[in-house]
Amino acid sequence: MDLRKKLIVKPGSSLKLKDIDASFHGNYKSKEDAIKDLEKNRNSMGELQQKLYGEKKHALLIVLQGIDAAGKDGVCWHVMQSMNPQGTFVKGFKQPTEIEKRHDFLWRIHPFTPGLGQVIVFNRSHYEDVLVVRVHDLVPKEVWSKRYELINDFEKMLSSNNVTILKFFLYITPEEQLKRFRKRLDDPSRQWKISDADYKERAFWDEYTAAYEDMLNKCSTEQAPWYVIPSNHKWFRNVAISQIIADTLTDMHLQLPAPTVDIEEIRKLYHKAKQDKE
Ligand code: AMP
Ligand code: MG
């Protein structure tokens, strides 16, 4: 199954999240099958990133959004682990600082966009400025409603600089979220993740849904598409995202750069050095 085709939000869509099955798992019959493919995809991602890093003609920006416990941190860990930290990093965006608030909303984002040769993951992003900010009226509607277009322009500008942008919306149901909160309560190794905001935000589920739908419908563009990743099954979420990243990198036809020296000449120097030592 071509997961890019299946999960992409076509530009100009008017999708409703209620029409999407958060438990969808493609052709995978079992978690074990999905994990085998995840392994394969991670290997390809590692090899392709090496080429992207060497070639320095492309950059990849991966944007993760999703409600609390949707699995953004899990993707950073389980999907991104095969990439070499030299050339990759994850940038999380939290509540803006007082200084950041005095600037336009993209001011704090731009410095973390990837340079050629880099892969950067945004764990939350500029989209918070049309999500939490909208749901909680942190700025007036006339301010946030203009941001969709500003975001599209910003992403277009990045893509004209050879930054490929992949945006993943991790979609879970409220029941699945509650199950995950329960796990956090019961498992001491997960308790540090609990915040009381998580429960407060649940009360705004419908408002978040409306904000997510606008984000997906207004900001899925040719150059920076959104993918809705059914994420009730963590194993499907991971394999789907890894597949889309691997396919996207493959399509870049990345090439390692040609050597900058005359290899035959260097070979002679090597043999001479070896003989001298002997
Ligand atoms: P977490 O990702 O769970 O560590 O939480 C980060 C928090 O920062 C979330 O509650 C986000 O909604 C919040 N946040 C991120 N960006 C913004 C923003 N631009 N304005 C307000 N809150 C934000
Ligand atoms: Mg959280």
Side-chain angles (χ1 to χ4, degrees):
M1 182 181 290
D2 184 342
L3 289 173
R4 279 191 295 184
K5 274 205 183 125
K6 174 79 190 157
L7 304 177
I8 197 168
V9 179
K10 293 210 181 80
S13 292
S14 46
L15 78 76
K16 291 276 176 207
L17 286 172
K18 68 172 169 38
D19 298 331
I20 294 174
D21 176 9
S23 298
F24 176 78
H25 49 81
N27 291 337
Y28 291 101
K29 300 230 159 35
S30 69
K31 180 175 173 175
E32 287 65 35
D33 286 347
I35 288 176
K36 272 188 219 144
D37 275 3
L38 171 64
E39 282 288 328
K40 277 193 225 153
N41 293 338
R42 282 196 301 223
N43 286 340
S44 316
M45 284 169 59
E47 282 168 22
L48 290 161
Q49 183 223 350
Q50 197 61 22
K51 289 190 178 165
L52 181 123
Y53 180 74
E55 191 185 47
K56 295 203 170 33
K57 287 191 180 161
H58 295 265
L60 179 64
L61 173 62
I62 298 169
V63 173
L64 301 176
Q65 286 290 163
I67 205 105
D68 291 297
K72 301 182 290 300
D73 294 349
V75 170
C76 294
W77 181 4
H78 298 287
V79 177
M80 299 309 298
Q81 59 179 250
S82 63
M83 289 205 175
N84 184 339
Q86 178 149 279
T88 311
F89 75 86
V90 176
K91 169 66 186 158
F93 289 97
K94 313 264 178 196
Q95 285 89 349
T97 63
E98 283 310 311
I99 292 173
E100 287 168 347
K101 278 193 218 160
R102 285 185 222 142
H103 291 265
D104 70 85
F105 74 107
L106 294 170
W107 182 78
R108 68 176 185 150
I109 307 291
H110 205 166
F112 294 98
T113 57
L116 302 178
Q118 278 187 315
V119 178
I120 306 288
V121 180
F122 283 178
N123 185 344
R124 300 187 190 269
S125 66
H126 42 300
Y127 283 97
E128 290 294 324
D129 292 282
V130 288
L131 294 170
V132 63
V133 166
R134 162 177 167 167
V135 169
H136 291 293
D137 295 319
L138 301 182
V139 301
K141 181 171 182 184
E142 70 248 35
V143 174
W144 61 253
S145 60
K146 295 199 179 90
R147 289 181 172 167
Y148 300 99
E149 209 180 319
L150 294 169
I151 289 174
N152 288 344
D153 287 345
F154 174 64
E155 292 179 352
K156 197 168 179 178
M157 195 252 307
L158 296 178
S159 98
S160 70
N161 199 42
N162 271 1
V163 181
T164 295
I165 305 172
L166 291 174
K167 301 180 296 198
F168 298 115
F169 171 63
L170 312 186
Y171 179 48
I172 57 167
T173 51
E175 296 76 26
E176 178 64 23
Q177 189 196 43
L178 206 56
K179 234 166 80 188
R180 294 184 186 182
F181 283 174
R182 168 91 228 178
K183 216 164 163 190
R184 286 184 181 179
L185 272 177
D186 293 345
D187 177 352
S189 74
R190 295 174 196 260
Q191 285 169 352
W192 67 275
K193 288 193 146 207
I194 301 174
S195 88
D196 48 2
D198 294 348
Y199 289 86
K200 286 192 195 130
E201 292 304 279
R202 273 178 70 79
F204 296 94
W205 197 277
D206 293 345
E207 288 83 351
Y208 270 108
T209 300
Y212 286 134
E213 287 172 347
D214 271 349
M215 163 188 94
L216 295 167
N217 290 325
K218 291 177 192 290
C219 296
S220 196
T221 57
E222 240 23 277
Q223 65 276 357
W226 271 109
Y227 294 89
V228 177
I229 307 296
S231 296
N232 273 3
H233 296 294
K234 294 177 180 177
W235 45 268
F236 180 72
R237 173 200 77 199
N238 290 342
V239 76
I241 292 181
S242 63
Q243 182 72 56
I244 294 171
I245 296 174
D247 288 349
T248 302
L249 287 169
T250 301
D251 283 356
M252 289 183 193
H253 303 293
L254 302 160
Q255 302 289 336
L256 285 173
T260 54
V261 293
D262 182 336
I263 294 293
E264 283 315 311
E265 285 304 314
I266 298 288
R267 219 185 285 282
K268 283 182 206 152
L269 291 176
Y270 165 80
H271 286 300
K272 182 163 185 314
K274 204 163 163 243
Q275 269 168 9
D276 289 350
K277 195 165 171 271
E278 282 162 4

